[in-house]
């Protein structure tokens, strides 16, 4: 059963992002890099949708994702997070192609 997405456009966008398993993998990878951990210490799948929401709220300096629709500074940070995530996804696709000998 899908969750009902509430809030304005940016709040819904953030909610969908947090439900994206790949975004959780991105946060796992990011945490490994920041904390100097290896895959066995922090495997993919560690960040739950709730962890992703906590990360977004903390990073954007908000208490609720609904604030993204009214806070320009928070919305700009969301844009940066999304751009960083998209860059990571492109790198992952390239690495997958290289691993398959297609690049």
């Amino acid at each position: 059963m899908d969750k009902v997405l509430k809030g304005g456009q940016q709040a819904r966008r953030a909610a969908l992002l947090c439900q994206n398993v790949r975004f959780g993998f991105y946060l796992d990878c990011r945490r490994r890099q920041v904390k100097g951990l290896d895959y066995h210490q922090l495997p993919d799948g560690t960040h739950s949708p709730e962890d992703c929401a906590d990360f977004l709220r903390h990073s954007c300096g908000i208490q609720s994702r609904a604030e993204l629709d009214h806070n320009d500074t928070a919305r700009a940070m969301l844009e940066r997070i999304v751009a960083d995530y998209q860059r990571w996804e492109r790198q992952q696709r390239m690495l997958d192609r290289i691993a398959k000998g297609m690049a």
Side-chain angles (χ1 to χ4, degrees), residues 16-85:
L16 287 171
L17 184 64
C18 292
Q19 293 173 16
N20 180 343
V21 173
R22 296 283 303 167
F23 183 67
F25 291 168
Y26 161 71
L27 292 181
D28 294 335
C29 181
R30 187 176 182 277
R31 168 93 30 104
R32 282 192 295 269
Q33 290 176 340
V34 168
K35 299 289 184 180
L37 302 173
D38 66 32
Y39 184 85
H40 297 294
Q41 293 172 302
L42 187 80
D44 283 345
T46 301
H47 282 83
S48 69
E50 294 80 21
D51 295 329
C52 295
D54 288 343
F55 168 80
L56 280 183
R57 285 191 297 269
H58 176 76
S59 297
C60 294
I62 55 177
Q63 298 296 313
S64 167
R65 288 178 293 204
E67 294 176 52
L68 292 166
D69 292 301
H70 310 288
N71 181 325
D72 291 339
T73 303
R75 186 170 41 248
M77 180 55 76
L78 176 63
E79 292 296 331
R80 179 175 174 192
I81 291 167
V82 169
D84 289 347
Y85 166 61

